[in-house]
Amino acid sequence: MATPKKDNVTRNLVIGMIALVVLVTVGVSFTSNKTKANVATPSSVDKAEGYGIVFNKGLTGVPKVDIWEDFQCPVCRDFEAVNNKQIAEWITNKKIVAVFHPLSFIGAESAYMANAAACSADEDKFLPFHEALYANQATAENSGKWNPATLIALGANLGITSKSFTDCVTKSKYQGWVTNIANDGQDKQINSTPTVLINGKEIERTQANYFDAATFSKLVFKK
């Protein structure tokens, strides 16, 4: 895999505006730009963290890492491939508070994937499901690869076979939450993916900061 260039780190939100039309045609609506209070949310979500999926909530004295991503974004996949292992280890060893914000501006399949990821969080399988989504990313965006049936099959490969999971994916249980994430990202002017904040400050978009594990680690822990 070719190393992504700095210019490819950003994903312009113009794509997102086009994707809104696509979402409406498949019945997934993102027409409102206001956060909706009465929507189903995964238990690991913290509204105070922009509706992000939080690991190690309440842990103090450690860095907080916010990751804004879109599961169809190839550059997000490359960031994940470089940093996923160490981020998972930091979470397990309680070295960071991690907040994941799955965006859906690339298109309908991003929305399906974000919802399914939230469903996997209810099964305590978010991190392996997150990894599997990127490992199996389609070669083209909105190619038709990802839909409720294929996402349920992906979960089954990870041992997620409960009826609650399949119902959650099939019925798009967390679609309102997906919209809230998108609206929060818009409010915070998150206009590209991946976007990573450390203790609330966005890291500079350079090749090393995003795609060199040692450099990223130094940024997180200010070594």
Side-chain angles (χ1 to χ4, degrees):
M1 181 186 304
T3 302
K5 297 179 181 179
K6 177 180 177 181
D7 289 347
N8 288 337
V9 174
T10 59
R11 301 283 313 191
N12 196 298
L13 271 182
V14 171
I15 297 173
M17 299 306 295
I18 296 170
L20 292 179
V21 178
V22 177
L23 290 173
V24 171
T25 64
V26 296
V28 183
S29 177
F30 287 95
T31 57
S32 174
N33 60 0
K34 295 182 179 180
T35 298
K36 298 179 180 180
N38 298 318
V39 299
T41 58
S43 59
S44 55
V45 161
D46 188 344
K47 294 180 182 179
E49 296 291 353
Y51 290 88
I53 292 176
V54 184
F55 287 85
N56 295 332
K57 179 181 177 180
L59 190 64
T60 60
V62 299
K64 180 165 76 78
V65 181
D66 285 88
I67 301 172
W68 295 83
E69 58 188 338
D70 188 310
F71 288 119
Q72 288 198 89
C73 165
V75 186
C76 297
R77 176 200 60 208
D78 296 338
F79 171 81
E80 194 270 350
V82 171
N83 295 294
N84 174 65
K85 184 176 180 180
Q86 64 181 6
I87 290 172
E89 289 176 351
W90 296 338
I91 291 171
T92 299
N93 295 326
K94 299 188 182 303
K95 291 184 176 181
I96 64 170
V97 174
V99 188
F100 293 88
H101 307 262
L103 291 171
S104 49
F105 63 76
I106 291 179
E109 292 185 50
S110 296
Y112 292 141
M113 296 160 85
N115 175 75
C119 298
S120 75
D122 285 348
E123 307 288 329
D124 294 323
K125 293 285 189 178
F126 177 81
L127 291 178
F129 195 83
H130 178 279
E131 181 178 7
L133 285 173
Y134 282 121
N136 292 277
Q137 191 179 82
T139 55
E141 297 165 0
N142 298 309
S143 66
K145 178 174 182 177
W146 294 114
N147 55 60
T150 55
L151 289 162
I152 288 169
L154 182 69
N157 288 337
L158 300 171
I160 312 174
T161 57
S162 69
K163 186 176 185 299
S164 59
F165 175 76
T166 57
D167 286 348
C168 181
V169 175
T170 301
K171 298 176 182 179
S172 294
K173 178 179 179 179
Y174 294 126
Q175 202 59 64
W177 166 79
V178 173
T179 301
N180 283 347
I181 289 276
N183 291 336
D184 184 66
Q186 183 178 9
D187 290 343
K188 292 175 178 171
Q189 298 183 329
I190 303 297
N191 57 13
S192 54
T193 56
T195 291
V196 180
L197 284 72
I198 300 171
N199 295 325
K201 183 177 180 180
E202 183 179 346
I203 64 173
E204 185 182 358
R205 294 183 173 280
T206 67
Q207 181 77 13
N209 285 358
Y210 277 81
F211 305 109
D212 179 77
T215 301
F216 183 69
S217 178
K218 289 178 181 178
L219 290 170
V220 171
F221 297 104
K222 295 183 179 179
K223 295 177 181 177

